[in-house]
């Protein structure tokens, strides 16, 4: 259903599977992304809570919660997931990159660009990535709505891929 983009079949399979695979991280990850695609933030939040309960030592569910709070731009939610990420040992550079995105999405451009400068200074191996993020961030504040949407998607997609790679490898991607 995923390969053929048959959303109705995908929905049906996920509903059926939710009873059998309620504790499988791969299935729950798929369910989370389906909920996001369906613009069901409440459903995605429920999946994140289930993942955190079932995998308390895994940083991926916390990252998914941070990602969801980036999309909803709710400060209280973001900061509670951020605090959890810090206590569970999420890499500091990853949290700072997410903080940058959160500032950007909340239209706090001075703070966002300040964070990029801090990231570049504190994590020199990320200079190549910060350069790209800086260009995209400028487009984020463009007058052109298409450029804004493209920049937002590029920033969020690249951050997700980078963070998932860090979590998979348990070390910074250099």
């Amino acid at each position: 259903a995923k390969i053929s983009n048959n959303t109705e079949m995908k929905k049906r399979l996920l509903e059926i599977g939710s009873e059998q695979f309620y504790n499988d991280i791969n299935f729950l990850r798929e369910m989370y992304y389906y909920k996001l695609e369906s613009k069901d933030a409440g459903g995605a939040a429920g999946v994140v809570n289930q993942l955190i309960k079932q995998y308390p030592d895994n940083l991926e569910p916390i990252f998914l919660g941070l990602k969801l709070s980036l999309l909803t731009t709710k400060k209280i939610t973001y900061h509670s997931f951020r605090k959890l990420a810090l206590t569970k040992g999420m890499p500091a550079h990853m949290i700072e990159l997410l903080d940058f995105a959160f500032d950007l999405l909340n239209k706090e451009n001075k703070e966002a660009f300040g964070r990029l400068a801090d990231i570049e200074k504190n994590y020199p191996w990320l200079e190549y990535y910060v350069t790209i993020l800086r260009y995209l961030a400028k487009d984020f504040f463009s007058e052109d709505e298409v450029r804004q949407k493209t920049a937002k998607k590029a920033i969020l997609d690249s951050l997700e891929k980078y963070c998932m790679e860090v979590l998979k490898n348990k070390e910074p991607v250099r």
Side-chain angles (χ1 to χ4, degrees), residues 73-138:
T73 63
K74 295 191 176 179
K75 289 186 180 194
I76 293 172
T77 307
Y78 180 79
H79 289 294
S80 68
F81 277 113
R82 186 185 191 284
K83 183 179 178 182
L84 185 59
L86 286 169
T87 60
K88 294 289 185 173
M90 186 173 281
H93 75 284
M94 202 168 117
I95 294 171
E96 289 190 42
L97 285 167
L98 294 168
D99 288 346
F100 154 74
F102 191 73
D103 288 342
L104 199 64
L105 293 169
N106 279 293
K107 309 256 188 253
E108 297 173 1
N109 58 342
K110 187 176 181 182
E111 290 82 356
F113 285 104
R115 275 196 206 278
L116 281 181
D118 290 344
I119 292 168
E120 198 169 36
K121 184 177 82 175
N122 295 332
Y123 310 102
W125 71 86
L126 286 175
E127 183 180 5
Y128 71 96
Y129 189 38
V130 169
T131 301
I132 294 166
L133 290 174
R134 190 173 285 116
Y135 281 110
L136 289 169
K138 287 178 184 172

Side-chain angles (χ1 to χ4, degrees), residues 22 28 31-32 35 40-53 68 81:
Y22 62 90
L28 291 170
M31 179 71 92
Y32 168 83
K35 297 289 185 183
D40 180 3
V47 174
V48 168
N49 287 334
Q50 187 174 353
L51 279 164
I52 288 172
K53 285 178 189 165
L68 179 61
F81 277 113

